[in-house]
Amino acid sequence: MKRRYIAMLALVAVLASCKDNELFEKEMYKNEVSLISSDNYNVFQEVVHLTGEEIIGYVVASVGGTHAPQQDLVIGLQEDPEPLEEYNWSNFDAAADLYAKLVPADKYELLDDKIMIKAGERTGRTMIKLRPEGLSPDSTYFIGLKVSDISGVEINPNKNTVLYQVSFENDYASQVSNSRYTMTGIKDGEIPVAANKQLFPLTYNSVRMIAGNELYESKISEINKKSVILEVDEFNKVTIKPYKDIDIVQLDNDPKYPNVFLVEEAFGRKTNVFLLSYEYTLDGVTQVMKERVEMQLK
């Protein structure tokens, strides 16, 4: 009797093991489609180099499973602001001034609202045409997308949305990597000054920086009040303009600070250098600046 009982237990264990193996193999072989993203909020960051023209980015899908699919898999894409709402609330709660923003509709175009993963392949993609010039370097921008099943494809429920982040850079500064320059110079003809300055990309040939050795504050009102634009032409001549509210006058009479951009090279290292001369007025006080603004490149 005891031997029969043990044999029955062994049979039950074997049957259970077979069932578990069957379920495991079914999961392993299942072709489940996911949108490719990088973290818990399903963010995919596209860093685009500003060129003055439209730029192509990509939304990518991948398929899991032990084997590549035996037939084409097609999923649909549609715009969806809800993932961004969840992202903002999770990260910033009710601090709406810190919220990331949707990319304005005139700044991008989803060229195809479908992604096809061809039979025998693991990934597929669709293109987004981006026009990021004019976006604020002080904001984070996303395009919210979600999957719509149009051909009976099994979708990973945890990866059926993507927050496509549009970040940008130019030859002088970047939204995502270090753009901290060192400034040394002379104020009002005799006072030595030094400061660190963060430069921000605006267009393919322009950046924003704080005037003189003014204190940088991240408040929009302070940025608008204290910032200037450095615009570099095809001959590396720099034009200095007001960003918003500041009064600025470019001075072109100093050969040591001729308002130019150049790349210096020494000992195998390159350094971005702006040599600037200007005067600016804040709160009724005018100051004359002669600046060397530089950053060593990696």
Side-chain angles (χ1 to χ4, degrees), residues 186-211:
I186 301 171
K187 181 168 69 173
D188 295 333
E190 58 182 16
I191 304 171
V193 290
N196 291 320
K197 295 194 177 194
Q198 186 79 19
L199 269 60
F200 298 86
L202 296 177
T203 67
Y204 77 99
N205 69 334
S206 68
V207 292
R208 189 191 74 208
M209 79 171 189
I210 291 294

Side-chain angles (χ1 to χ4, degrees), residues 41-159:
Y41 297 102
N42 290 350
V43 170
F44 179 85
Q45 186 179 56
E46 186 85 71
V47 181
V48 297
H49 194 88
L50 299 174
T51 64
E53 300 177 352
E54 294 178 329
I55 300 162
I56 297 296
Y58 297 94
V59 178
V60 182
S62 66
V63 60
T66 305
H67 302 296
Q70 297 180 350
Q71 60 185 19
D72 294 348
L73 302 179
V74 181
I75 61 170
L77 283 178
Q78 60 187 63
E79 295 167 86
D80 182 15
E82 186 174 339
L84 181 57
E85 294 170 5
E86 294 176 1
Y87 172 92
N88 280 331
W89 188 255
S90 297
N91 284 281
F92 308 114
D93 204 325
D97 57 320
L98 301 177
Y99 281 9
K101 301 177 181 179
L102 288 171
V103 177
D106 64 337
K107 294 294 183 180
Y108 75 97
E109 180 184 355
L110 189 63
L111 296 185
D112 193 341
D113 61 359
K114 297 183 291 296
I115 296 178
M116 174 183 289
I117 301 175
K118 294 183 179 180
E121 298 185 4
R122 287 290 189 175
T123 62
R125 65 185 187 178
T126 190
M127 294 188 294
I128 295 184
K129 187 180 291 185
L130 302 169
R131 296 177 283 271
E133 295 205 18
L135 296 179
S136 170
D138 307 300
S139 298
T140 301
Y141 291 96
F142 291 108
I143 300 169
L145 299 169
K146 70 176 180 180
V147 172
S148 59
D149 173 24
I150 58 175
S151 63
V153 177
E154 189 156 0
I155 307 297
N156 182 342
N158 297 316
K159 288 288 185 177

Side-chain angles (χ1 to χ4, degrees), residues 3-44:
R3 289 181 179 177
R4 183 180 300 174
Y5 178 72
I6 293 173
M8 289 179 64
L9 286 178
L11 179 60
V12 169
V14 169
L15 291 174
S17 177
C18 291
K19 186 174 182 181
D20 288 344
N21 287 339
E22 183 181 342
L23 290 172
F24 176 74
E25 289 180 4
K26 184 178 179 181
E27 289 297 316
M28 289 291 290
Y29 279 86
K30 182 169 62 175
N31 288 137
E32 189 176 67
V33 174
S34 303
L35 294 178
I36 290 181
S37 57
S38 59
D39 63 15
N40 293 333
Y41 297 102
N42 290 350
V43 170
F44 179 85

